[in-house]
Amino acid sequence: MTDIAWDRLMDLLDHFAGNPDLPLSPDVERTFAALCAQAIEDGSVDRELHVEDTARWLTGLVVAHRTVRDTHPEVPPDADLGVLRVVVTRWLHPARPR
């Protein structure tokens, strides 16, 4: 199964995290929300998450990523982006049965 909404969500995260000069407008947050809603529908994002809150926090995580990059330029950009992706993935994916 291909998680198209999930892939688009991660692509959007990568795009704005990797391009710090791009503004994070309300349109970006709305796009995160739309993709989260689609990913919840297809089961790739936890159904217990509130779409608008999740979109707001994803936008905030991009802001945080930009700040971390500014304060730690010695860390390779790919390494920081990898950590951001792991954090987001573990947060958004549904919990696994134990």
Side-chain angles (χ1 to χ4, degrees):
M1 176 176 106
T2 301
D3 293 328
I4 304 232
W6 176 261
D7 292 341
R8 291 177 57 212
L9 181 68
M10 295 305 282
D11 288 347
L12 187 66
L13 183 79
D14 290 350
H15 180 70
F16 282 95
N19 295 288
D21 295 332
L22 293 176
L24 291 167
S25 68
D27 286 340
V28 174
E29 195 170 309
R30 282 190 287 275
T31 303
F32 271 130
L35 291 171
C36 284
Q38 292 170 17
I40 286 170
E41 187 63 31
D42 73 24
S44 58
V45 167
D46 190 336
R47 294 181 187 283
E48 293 183 12
L49 294 172
H50 184 266
V51 170
E52 287 79 17
D53 291 344
T54 301
R56 187 177 71 249
W57 274 93
L58 284 168
T59 304
L61 285 172
V62 172
V63 171
H65 177 268
R66 291 174 175 186
T67 300
V68 168
R69 292 293 316 134
D70 286 345
T71 57
H72 294 281
E74 73 281 2
V75 177
D78 287 346
D80 274 339
L81 183 58
V83 171
L84 176 63
R85 289 177 62 94
V86 168
V87 168
V88 169
T89 298
R90 289 187 179 169
W91 166 46
L92 294 181
H93 276 330
R96 295 181 189 170
R98 294 185 183 245

